[in-house]
Amino acid sequence: MAQEKTGIITFKGNPMTLLGPDIKVGDAAPEFRVVDNGLAPVTLADSAGKVRLITVVPSIDTPVCDTMTRKFNQDAAALPDSVVVYTISLDLPFAQKRWCGAAGIEKVKTLSDYQERSFGLNYGLLIKELKLLARAVYVIDQQGKVAYREIVKEVTAEPDYAAALAAAKNLV
């Protein structure tokens, strides 16, 4: 049974429950298994030795998630190749691929946690009531430690883009 955490996030002002552990800065980043737009598995280990900027959205097809992914895609263009940028959601890979094509997303790699929900459960971001992922940003260093974490308090709000990008840049 997954650990339940309350008092961390709200959705439209209503308190929500997160399932999974409370991963903090300094912790070893948990492994996960998600799939890319072609249904190929992607794990944390696949990007070992690189800085990972992982943005997490409830659904890519909603206005705030759309804005967030476009903003990180734009800002990621200035990051060196030693930084990988992932956006993870529970959207089906086919929907992610269609959205990315329409939005011109090239630097951010969209990944789907729909099969196992291992990212959501391992990072403590699966919203019990909605069966969606909470909005969050993680930066994981080259050694696999969490260097930055923001779980956005209100699911419909945007993250602190500048702080997340600064955390990633400080590691390269």
Side-chain angles (χ1 to χ4, degrees):
M1 187 62 120
Q3 175 186 351
E4 294 189 4
K5 303 178 304 292
T6 57
I8 298 172
I9 66 163
T10 58
F11 178 68
K12 296 183 178 177
N14 298 308
M16 296 284 122
T17 306
L18 292 178
L19 300 176
D22 187 17
I23 305 301
K24 294 181 171 32
V25 170
D27 289 348
E31 187 54 80
F32 57 82
R33 184 183 178 283
V34 293
V35 294
D36 68 13
N37 292 172
L39 297 175
V42 176
T43 66
L44 183 65
D46 291 340
S47 57
K50 292 190 175 226
V51 172
R52 279 70 54 107
L53 172 58
I54 300 175
T55 70
V56 188
V57 299
S59 177
I60 202 103
D61 262 336
T62 60
V64 176
C65 300
D66 179 291
T67 298
M68 183 174 156
T69 305
R70 288 176 191 265
K71 174 82 171 132
F72 276 114
N73 184 67
Q74 176 185 342
D75 294 341
L79 296 172
D81 288 341
S82 59
V83 179
V84 295
V85 184
Y86 295 147
T87 292
I88 299 177
S89 73
L90 287 172
D91 294 299
L92 292 175
F94 317 110
Q96 290 178 339
K97 183 177 183 179
R98 175 190 46 75
W99 182 88
C100 286
I105 302 299
E106 296 171 353
K107 183 70 175 176
V108 171
K109 184 173 186 178
T110 55
L111 301 170
S112 177
D113 196 23
Y114 89 98
Q115 288 182 336
E116 299 175 20
R117 300 196 173 31
S118 73
F119 182 86
L121 289 170
N122 292 352
Y123 283 73
L125 296 174
L126 186 62
I127 304 171
K128 180 181 180 180
E129 295 83 356
L130 302 176
K131 305 299 186 269
L132 293 170
L133 298 178
R135 185 175 317 283
V137 181
Y138 285 83
V139 176
I140 299 168
D141 70 16
Q142 298 91 327
Q143 291 75 42
K145 296 269 189 216
V146 176
Y148 174 86
R149 173 193 89 161
E150 179 188 8
I151 298 174
V152 180
K153 174 82 177 141
E154 169 55 47
V155 174
T156 61
E158 293 179 58
D160 185 339
Y161 299 105
L165 290 162
K169 288 176 185 174
N170 286 341
L171 295 172
V172 292

